[in-house]
């Protein structure tokens, strides 16, 4: 007997919301998930218009996320949603996730997890209390060759890791006019909706998570220098940090949205005692491996590459030479999250609540360090901000 699809609701992602459409495409790609309900906008008419476009019944298009969870919880178990995807501005991530968990629904959220570290710790306690699944869509760790890079490091292929260099330059906010009239830019640059950081919370968290994921190490301390390059902005649009890792390795992290001409230039290099590896998001199907006194190797993604680990090949959908990228990586997260709800022992590429807390600890530590003239700050602990 064929297994029913996992039933999903979405909060946010209305017309004009770039990331909502990405999530919906990713959720459909492996035919494991069905979008059956949602509250797509804080404005009822816009939410209804999106539901109509998506073919969702008006009875399951709700005016608020509170109404969504209350009504869905009253439906028979075989009809109600099983998890909610959160694709709102940052300030709503925590209240929506909290309400969903309290109503008995699993959560898959866009990043960062919350507006603050304090909220992330509250969310962690709630996830532990309910025993429900919580996932965070750190997409780049779900690329096949990023996963292969992590496995090589874990297997000791590079020996002891000595240095990690990760950078994420973008250029979409390089001029003041770039944020004028852009809803996407305006909420990301608004402290009330984005939190204490702009660029570092938006893309710096991706770089940080990828550095820890591939190196299989934790950052223990950092010193950061955040800047607001464009006059009039309230939050950082550029920054860099020095990192210290749990094994004594050192690292650098750059995140900027004012690098004119750059698209989505996330890249990472990990240097060990025996060799190094490098991966670039804009060429995601290749992993460059350079061992000491050996020719440079290019590891290629593809279902036909038997030298890749089985779990890496499982993330590939096409033979080598047929590029896969952002949508497929997103889909890997959705597929694994759906399977985890049906088969609790299945591996899950979605970052969990622990990574959610670490991401917010990174943001808070970076802001605190920068305010203290790039002082070294522990990545753990709670930080209070004024002003």
């Amino acid at each position: 007997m064929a297994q029913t699809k996992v039933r999903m609701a979405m909060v946010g992602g209305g017309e004009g919301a770039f990331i909502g459409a990405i999530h919906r495409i990713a959720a459909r790609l492996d035919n494991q998930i069905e979008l059956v309900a949602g509250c797509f906008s804080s404005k009822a008419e816009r939410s209804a218009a999106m539901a109509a476009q998506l073919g969702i019944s008006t009875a399951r298009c709700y005016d608020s996320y509170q109404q969504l969870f209350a009504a869905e919880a009253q439906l028979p178990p075989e009809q109600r949603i099983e998890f909610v995807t959160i694709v709102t501005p940052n300030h709503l991530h925590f209240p929506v996730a909290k309400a969903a968990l309290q109503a008995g629904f699993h959560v898959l959220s866009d990043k960062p997890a919350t507006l603050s570290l304090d909220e992330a710790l509250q969310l962690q306690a709630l996830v532990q209390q309910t025993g429900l699944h919580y996932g965070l869509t750190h997409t780049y760790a779900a690329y096949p060759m990023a996963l292969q890079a992590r496995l090589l490091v874990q297997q000791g292929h590079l020996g002891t890791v000595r240095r990690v260099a990760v950078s994420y330059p973008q250029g979409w906010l390089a001029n003041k006019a770039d944020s004028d009239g852009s809803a996407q830019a305006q909420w990301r640059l608004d402290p009330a909706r984005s939190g204490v950081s702009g660029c570092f919370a938006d893309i710096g968290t991706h770089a940080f998570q990828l550095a820890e994921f591939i190196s299989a190490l934790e950052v223990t301390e950092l010193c950061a220098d955040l800047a607001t390059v464009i006059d009039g902005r309230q939050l950082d649009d550029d920054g860099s940090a020095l990192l210290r890792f749990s094994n004594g390795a050192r690292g650098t992290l750059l995140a900027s949205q004012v690098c004119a001409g750059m698209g989505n230039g996330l890249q990472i290099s990990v240097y060990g005692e025996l060799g190094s590896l490098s991966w670039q998001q804009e060429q995601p199907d290749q992993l460059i491996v350079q061992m000491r006194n050996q020719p440079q190797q290019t590891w290629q993604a593809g279902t036909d590459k038997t030298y890749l680990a089985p779990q890496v090949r499982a993330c590939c959908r096409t033979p080598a030479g047929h590029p896969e990228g952002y949508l497929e990586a997103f889909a890997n997260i959705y597929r694994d999250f759906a399977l985890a709800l049906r088969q609790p022992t299945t591996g899950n590429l979605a970052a969990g609540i622990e990574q959610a807390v670490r991401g917010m600890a990174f943001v808070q530590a970076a802001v605190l360090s920068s305010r203290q003239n790039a002082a070294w700050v522990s990545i753990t602990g709670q930080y209070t901000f004024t002003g």
Side-chain angles (χ1 to χ4, degrees), residues 96 101 129 157:
V96 177
L101 293 166
Q129 175 188 331
H157 196 73

Side-chain angles (χ1 to χ4, degrees), residues 121-140:
L121 293 168
Q122 292 181 55
L123 184 61
Q124 182 180 46
L126 186 56
V127 170
Q128 293 170 346
Q129 175 188 331
T130 62
L132 294 165
H133 285 269
Y134 175 88
L136 198 63
T137 54
H138 275 296
T139 320
Y140 306 109

